[in-house]
Amino acid sequence: MKKIMMIALMTAMTLAASAQEKKHIELPAWLNNVKFSGYGMVQYQALDKENAHENSFQLRLVRLALEGRIQQDWYWKLQLQLNGNTSSLNASPRIVDAFAEWQKYEFFKVKAGQYKRPFTFENPMHPITQGFMSYSQPVSKLAGFSDRTGEQSSNGRDIGVQIQGDFLKDNSGRNLLHYQVGVFNGEGINQKDKDNKKDIIGGVWVMPIKGLRIGAFGWTGTRYMTTTQTGYFPHDGFEPQSTGTITMTESVRKNRYALSAEYSLNDWTARAEYIHSQGFAANKDKGDKADGWYALCIAPVIKNKLHAKARYDCYRDQKTWGSSKTYYEVGADYLFNKNLQLNVEYARVNERATHQSYNLVDVELDFRF
C-alpha cells in the first residue's frame, strides 16, 4: 500500500512540475485573430390602423458573430440570430451567415457559403447603420426578407459562390469601379436547391467622386414553390369548366433589376433605389410584376452624435397604383457612443389596396459589443 501511495505522490509531483514549466496551452495561430461580436435591437412600435391597432415591445434582432482570418488571405465569418419562435424555421434561432472569402487581390475576391445576396446597395448594409426602423419595402419584398415569392424569411441571404473586386484607381489611389457576380441556390438561407436551377445575381457601380456611387444590379433565376390561383379550370376534355382555386408546385421564374445611387460623406447620407421584378408571386392572382422605390436623407445636427432623417418608401405589389403601400417617415437618432444609440421615428402610412391611412410610431434602442 505504501508503495502505491509513493508512486501516486511522485506522479502528482511530476505533473505539477510539468505544469509549472508550461503554463499555457499552445493554440493554432489563426485563433489569435478571431473576433467575437454581437448586437441587439430593442423595439417599441405602435400603430392605429383601423381594426388592427398594435402597441408592443419586441426584440427586432439579437445576433452573435465570430469572424477572423486563416492565414493572411482568407477571411471567414459565422453569425447566428438568436431571437424568434423555435417552433418554426422562419423565426427560430438560426445561422444567417457562414462563409469564407479569399481576399488576396483587391480586384478579384472569391466568396463561398451563406451570406447577403449582391443585390442593391441597401441589402448588404448592417441593420443599425442602414438608418431606419426597417429595410425599405422594395428591398424587403424583392431581395429575400419577406419576399414576394413566398420564400422563407432569409434576411436577404442565400447560399452560393461569388466573385467581386475593385479596380481602376484615380490619382489619389481611390478605386473608381466595383463589380460583383454570384451563383446561388435561389431558396434562401439553410436550404438546398429544390429545382436544380441556379440564380445569377450581379452588380456594378462607379465611384466618380469621393462619397458617391452609382450602380445597377441584375438578378435572374427560379424558385421551386407552391402557388395558388383562382379562376376557371377544365377538369378534363369532356367536363365543363368550373370556378375554384388550384394549388400547383412548380419552378417560377424571377427576373429583377435595380438602379441605385448613394452619397455618403462627412456624416451625411443620401440614398435612392428603384427595383423592378417580373415573376409570379406565391399567389398568382397578384400577377407577375411588382416594383418599388425609396429615397432617404440622414443629416447631422451634431456631427457623429445627433441626426435628423426622412424617407419616402413606396412598394407596388402588382405594379399598379391601386396595389401601392407608401411610408412617409421622419425621425432622429442619438448616439450615446459608437456602441449605443436611440432612434425615434414617425410614419404616415397609406395603403391604397385597403383604402386606409394610419399613423405609426417606432422607438428603438440599439447596442453593439
Side-chain angles (χ1 to χ4, degrees):
M1 185 67 182
K2 288 182 179 180
K3 288 183 179 180
I4 295 174
M5 292 290 293
M6 181 63 70
I7 293 171
L9 180 59
M10 291 178 66
T11 301
M13 291 175 65
T14 302
L15 291 174
S18 176
Q20 287 180 353
E21 291 176 3
K22 190 172 185 179
K23 297 180 179 179
H24 64 278
I25 299 174
E26 292 290 340
L27 296 175
W30 65 269
L31 283 176
N32 296 327
N33 297 320
V34 175
K35 177 185 176 183
F36 173 69
S37 63
Y39 63 92
M41 307 177 77
V42 183
Q43 185 177 50
Y44 168 80
Q45 198 168 89
L47 56 90
D48 61 359
K49 184 176 181 179
E50 185 177 353
N51 300 320
H53 286 210
E54 292 184 14
N55 180 349
S56 180
F57 293 101
Q58 63 179 349
L59 295 176
R60 179 182 162 190
L61 285 175
V62 178
R63 288 181 176 165
L64 300 176
L66 290 172
E67 59 186 311
R69 290 191 172 275
I70 302 176
Q71 301 180 339
Q72 183 177 355
D73 299 332
W74 286 91
Y75 168 78
W76 62 271
K77 183 173 183 179
L78 174 67
Q79 183 169 218
L80 308 177
Q81 182 166 322
L82 301 182
N83 61 312
N85 182 348
T86 57
S87 65
S88 69
L89 176 64
N90 288 358
S92 65
R94 59 198 183 274
I95 295 173
V96 289
D97 287 301
F99 67 85
E101 184 174 38
W102 183 62
Q103 299 180 337
K104 184 173 183 177
Y105 302 108
E106 186 180 24
F107 62 87
F108 184 79
K109 301 176 182 178
V110 183
K111 181 188 289 187
Q114 180 168 286
Y115 48 89
K116 285 281 193 174
R117 288 166 165 145
F119 189 69
T120 77
F121 284 163
E122 185 171 273
N123 181 36
M125 291 181 178
H126 192 285
I128 295 177
T129 55
Q130 177 273 135
F132 287 81
M133 60 183 172
S134 63
Y135 290 85
S136 64
Q137 292 182 99
V139 170
S140 296
K141 293 295 184 181
L142 302 176
F145 288 78
S146 53
D147 202 274
R148 185 174 188 267
T149 61
E151 169 190 296
Q152 66 163 344
S153 180
S154 296
N155 304 101
R157 292 167 166 86
D158 206 342
I159 305 173
V161 178
Q162 89 175 35
I163 59 173
Q164 62 181 348
D166 298 276
F167 61 98
L168 197 62
K169 296 181 183 293
D170 64 10
N171 293 332
S172 68
R174 183 177 57 83
N175 286 303
L176 300 177
L177 188 64
H178 173 89
Y179 74 93
Q180 54 191 34
V181 62
V183 180
F184 301 88
N185 281 342
E187 302 293 340
I189 62 173
N190 306 320
Q191 296 286 309
K192 295 177 67 176
D193 196 338
K194 297 177 182 177
D195 64 359
N196 297 317
K197 299 177 182 178
K198 299 295 182 285
D199 286 11
I200 299 174
I201 308 173
V204 60
W205 61 78
V206 295
M207 298 164 280
I209 62 174
K210 187 177 181 180
L212 176 66
R213 55 179 178 160
I214 302 170
F217 300 83
W219 178 348
T220 184
T222 63
R223 180 171 178 267
Y224 194 65
M225 66 182 185
T226 300
T227 61
T228 60
Q229 188 172 4
T230 303
Y232 292 96
F233 307 102
H235 291 286
D236 56 40
F238 302 97
E239 294 291 332
Q241 291 183 333
S242 63
T243 302
T245 299
I246 62 172
T247 300
M248 301 173 289
T249 303
E250 58 185 327
S251 291
V252 178
R253 172 61 59 181
K254 291 179 290 185
N255 291 309
R256 295 173 177 176
Y257 69 83
L259 303 173
S260 309
E262 181 186 58
Y263 180 77
S264 181
L265 191 67
N266 296 326
D267 211 27
W268 283 82
T269 299
R271 186 169 67 252
E273 298 193 272
Y274 172 79
I275 308 174
H276 181 275
S277 174
Q278 183 175 16
F280 282 102
N283 182 350
K284 279 197 170 182
D285 295 337
K286 291 186 175 182
D288 69 340
K289 289 184 176 65
D291 69 353
W293 57 90
Y294 73 89
L296 63 83
C297 181
I298 303 173
V301 178
I302 303 174
K303 191 174 182 179
N304 299 321
K305 180 63 69 172
L306 176 65
H307 302 88
K309 53 192 176 184
R311 179 171 69 173
Y312 170 72
D313 177 7
C314 180
Y315 172 68
R316 303 191 300 177
D317 196 40
Q318 300 176 50
K319 204 185 175 183
T320 62
W321 284 109
S323 66
S324 69
K325 183 177 182 179
T326 306
Y327 285 76
Y328 305 89
E329 302 170 58
V330 294
D333 62 61
Y334 182 80
L335 282 71
F336 298 95
N337 55 53
K338 66 178 182 179
N339 293 321
L340 181 66
Q341 72 180 63
L342 179 68
N343 311 275
V344 179
E345 287 184 52
Y346 165 78
R348 181 67 175 174
V349 186
N350 176 252
E351 293 183 358
R352 293 199 180 187
T354 61
H355 306 288
Q356 289 193 64
S357 293
Y358 53 91
N359 302 297
L360 185 153
V361 174
D362 183 274
V363 181
E364 239 177 67
L365 183 66
D366 301 333
F367 59 90
R368 315 184 201 211
F369 57 88

